[in-house]
Amino acid sequence: MKAVLASVLVVVLPASLQAADLDLLPGTAFNVSARCGDPAPVSVQFMGADVSPLVDLPAGDGVPISLARGFYSVAATRRDGSTVEEAQVRVDGPGFRLAFGCATPFPPPESVRLAADRGESQVRFSNTTGDCGDPRRIEFWADGRLAAAVGPGGSVEGRLPRADVVVDVVSGGKRLVSTHLATVRTGQHVFHGCTDPGAPSEGVAIAFQNTTDACPDPLERRHLTLWVDSAPRLGLAPGGQGVAYGPRGRHEIKVLVGLTREKLVSGTREVVAPFRVRYGCGM
């Protein structure tokens, strides 16, 4: 008999589980298609984080947009329907800036005036793509400049401007994720993958277990990721288990497949004591 994952899910989320509040943050999306030698209007479809707007960007121009905090899959297309790029973006706070129309890293649009000297912070770049089930070598680009190259499971020291920087994660010459960081603190972890090496190491414990290794159908044995407050915290291979920590309070808890948008568990709870999230076919 084919296993039905939902029927064997064990997750200690009480009846008070509710949809997360939607809080939109203001930012700007830019059309930088001219940087790839083909200036043209593009349409950008955002998918995820409870809102999925479609935004039209005139060539060489910026458009104000509002998005909820979180990760989005994006698809940028021309008027003829051809795809310019497919990637992800992360929105962390107000004043974010995102750019589309050219799938390679690029400096900030000219319309964004940066301070002459922002200074730099020492940071650590980490690659946890192996915890997503998709290990790959990646590069971190900061405002069009290569900042670090990291293999699967690796971590290296590097530097980023202290404020107003766009960090692109690149693999095979194409952007995977773009994030605008309003501020960068010394010692900050900048990572790509499913486990956050800079996540809190104390607070209320959330035990996470992936028991899909016990599913009879090999297609159901998948890498899973625990998300807390719209950010990946811990990625596990089938049969894996671990613990994430967070402060007391109301938090959004999700379980997704790898670093995809395939959502298996989603809701919020008032976190006051340790609890467990287990997904799969085993006990």
Side-chain angles (χ1 to χ4, degrees):
M1 179 181 296
K2 181 179 179 180
V4 181
L5 297 184
S7 68
V8 293
L9 168 65
V10 177
V11 53
V12 188
L13 293 179
S16 60
L17 191 66
Q18 301 173 8
D21 294 335
L22 191 61
D23 185 16
L24 297 181
L25 304 170
T28 306
F30 296 89
N31 182 334
V32 294
S33 55
R35 295 186 182 278
C36 282
D38 185 20
V42 296
S43 295
V44 181
Q45 177 72 65
F46 293 84
M47 294 164 284
D50 299 319
V51 292
S52 300
L54 176 66
V55 181
D56 293 322
L57 303 178
D61 202 1
V63 173
I65 59 173
S66 294
L67 296 171
R69 190 184 310 272
F71 269 95
Y72 295 83
S73 295
V74 296
T77 58
R78 301 182 183 89
R79 286 179 174 173
D80 62 4
S82 59
T83 299
V84 179
E85 64 172 326
E86 294 180 340
Q88 291 181 313
V89 298
R90 179 173 178 172
V91 174
D92 280 333
F96 63 86
R97 52 185 172 89
L98 305 169
F100 304 97
C102 186
T104 57
F106 36 74
E110 285 78 1
S111 56
V112 177
R113 298 187 179 279
L114 301 176
D117 182 11
R118 290 173 285 168
E120 291 188 325
S121 295
Q122 187 80 15
V123 301
R124 176 166 289 276
F125 296 98
S126 297
N127 177 348
T128 62
T129 56
D131 292 343
C132 306
D134 181 26
R136 60 170 71 193
R137 182 176 178 80
I138 58 175
E139 298 172 346
F140 293 89
W141 289 71
D143 285 342
R145 172 183 62 86
L146 179 62
V150 191
S155 183
V156 301
E157 296 286 339
R159 305 186 73 84
L160 285 177
R162 285 199 297 260
D164 197 26
V165 58
V166 173
V167 176
D168 291 315
V169 177
V170 177
S171 178
K174 293 185 177 181
R175 292 194 302 168
L176 301 178
V177 181
S178 183
T179 305
H180 173 257
L181 301 178
T183 59
V184 179
R185 67 183 186 278
T186 297
Q188 182 171 335
H189 286 262
V190 179
F191 80 101
H192 176 64
C194 290
T195 297
D196 180 359
S201 58
E202 58 183 18
V204 180
I206 306 172
F208 182 40
Q209 187 175 6
N210 178 353
T211 62
T212 61
D213 59 311
C215 296
D217 186 345
L219 295 178
E220 293 175 334
R221 302 167 194 165
R222 302 181 288 181
H223 282 68
L224 304 179
T225 306
L226 176 71
W227 289 59
V228 180
D229 295 335
S230 300
R233 286 291 184 84
L234 179 60
L236 296 177
Q241 56 185 335
V243 179
Y245 297 88
R248 292 174 179 268
R250 189 167 182 262
H251 296 285
E252 181 186 29
I253 308 295
K254 293 189 293 186
V255 175
L256 277 68
V257 176
L259 200 57
T260 71
R261 292 180 57 247
E262 186 175 349
K263 191 183 304 180
L264 305 175
V265 174
S266 179
T268 62
R269 70 167 287 164
E270 196 70 28
V271 176
V272 296
F275 64 100
R276 178 176 61 173
V277 177
R278 181 171 71 220
Y279 194 96
C281 299
M283 298 300 294

